Amino acid sequence: MLREITLGQYYPVDSLLHRLDPRVKLSGTFLFLIALFIVNSWTAYIFLALVLLLLIKLSNVPFSFMVRGLKSVLFLLLLSVSFNLFLTPGKEIFRFYMLKISQEGLHIASMMAVRLILLVLSSSLMTLCTTPNELTDGMEKGLSILKKLHLPIHEIAMMMSIALRFIPILVEETDKIMKAQMARGADFESGGIVHKAKAMVPILVPLFVSAFRRAYDLALAMESRCYQGGEGRTKMKPLHYERRDYLSYLFLITVLALSIGSRFVSLP
């Protein structure tokens, strides 16, 4: 289960998406998420799904690897869908004791499920095609205008980069701790919710200790290298837009414009 998490991982292959400027990928993910929350018809959702499938194809990341990341958010997906499915008032189409499914609830729940799936896939695609260093440079460069407001853009970008780096590390650490505890006789599968929650204590305590130790070692390493923030620092690989980046921006703006236009057109 833990190894199914794809968010925060980098998939090293050569593709068009991997060669794009990180600012394009960050902006593209942001615009795609805006489009997801703008559209309200199945035709528009199918259009966005086809766009995402095209991007996945261009990334050369195996589709099975992308879908595998959905297992990590399956509980959140089922919880969101269940709330909308059973608690939305409207024309009743099915009832089982106290639980009832309305026509409006089924419509909203199915759209919510599609929206969450596309959201997770698009976010994972960005991290799979962009290294943490590129994400940091792209975020810092893209938000550099906010430095005039005295916002610590470099520090914010650095923290997000470190957080993304720690996701696969902590996942691997958790997997090792779970295997070690299971070898000592720990049971994480049987019992009710309370028993499973208590069984997580032997995992969480060493995991927090390991995380704090790694954070301390990282801070010590940064201090020993005289890290003083982003002021006066130069880049080993300065970011420059190329023709493919401008074409990508044009494509993304077109997708967003079509998504906005779908709000004013009667679509099924």
Side-chain angles (χ1 to χ4, degrees), residues 183-252:
R184 293 177 174 88
D187 184 12
F188 301 109
E189 301 296 333
S190 61
I193 297 178
V194 177
H195 176 77
K196 290 183 179 179
K198 290 181 178 179
M200 294 299 293
V201 175
I203 297 177
L204 295 177
V205 173
L207 181 62
F208 273 104
V209 172
S210 175
F212 281 116
R213 186 186 300 116
R214 288 181 182 275
Y216 177 77
D217 292 341
L218 178 60
L220 192 63
M222 294 172 73
E223 287 182 2
S224 65
R225 289 167 174 80
C226 301
Y227 175 76
Q228 298 294 333
E231 193 65 30
R233 292 176 63 88
T234 58
K235 303 294 183 184
M236 185 175 68
K237 297 180 180 179
L239 298 178
H240 299 290
Y241 283 127
E242 297 184 14
R243 184 171 179 269
R244 59 173 175 263
D245 299 313
Y246 292 112
L247 292 176
S248 299
Y249 273 128
L250 179 61
F251 173 75
L252 293 169

Side-chain angles (χ1 to χ4, degrees), residues 114-154:
V114 173
R115 181 179 294 170
L116 285 175
I117 291 172
L118 294 180
L119 188 149
V120 173
L121 289 177
S122 59
S123 302
S124 300
L125 181 62
M126 180 193 66
T127 58
L128 288 169
C129 297
T130 317
T131 64
N133 287 339
E134 289 177 341
L135 281 176
T136 303
D137 294 342
M139 189 177 301
E140 183 178 356
K141 187 75 172 179
L143 300 177
S144 58
I145 191 174
L146 297 179
K147 290 183 179 179
K148 296 181 179 180
L149 301 177
H150 303 288
L151 292 177
I153 300 302
H154 174 80

Side-chain angles (χ1 to χ4, degrees), residues 23-67:
R23 290 170 290 179
V24 177
K25 288 179 272 191
L26 285 167
S27 302
T29 304
F30 182 68
L31 293 177
F32 189 83
L33 296 183
I34 291 177
L36 274 179
F37 287 94
I38 286 177
V39 299
N40 59 353
S41 66
W42 283 113
T43 304
Y45 276 117
I46 293 173
F47 168 70
L48 291 178
L50 291 176
V51 170
L52 185 58
L53 287 175
L54 173 63
L55 295 176
I56 293 174
K57 181 67 175 178
L58 293 175
S59 70
N60 289 339
V61 178
F63 185 72
S64 58
F65 186 84
M66 293 287 302
V67 175

Side-chain angles (χ1 to χ4, degrees), residues 170 172-184 188 202-208 210:
L170 292 179
E172 184 178 354
E173 190 76 20
T174 305
D175 190 49
K176 290 180 180 178
I177 294 172
M178 287 185 67
K179 289 180 178 178
Q181 297 292 359
M182 291 172 66
R184 293 177 174 88
F188 301 109
I203 297 177
L204 295 177
V205 173
L207 181 62
F208 273 104
S210 175

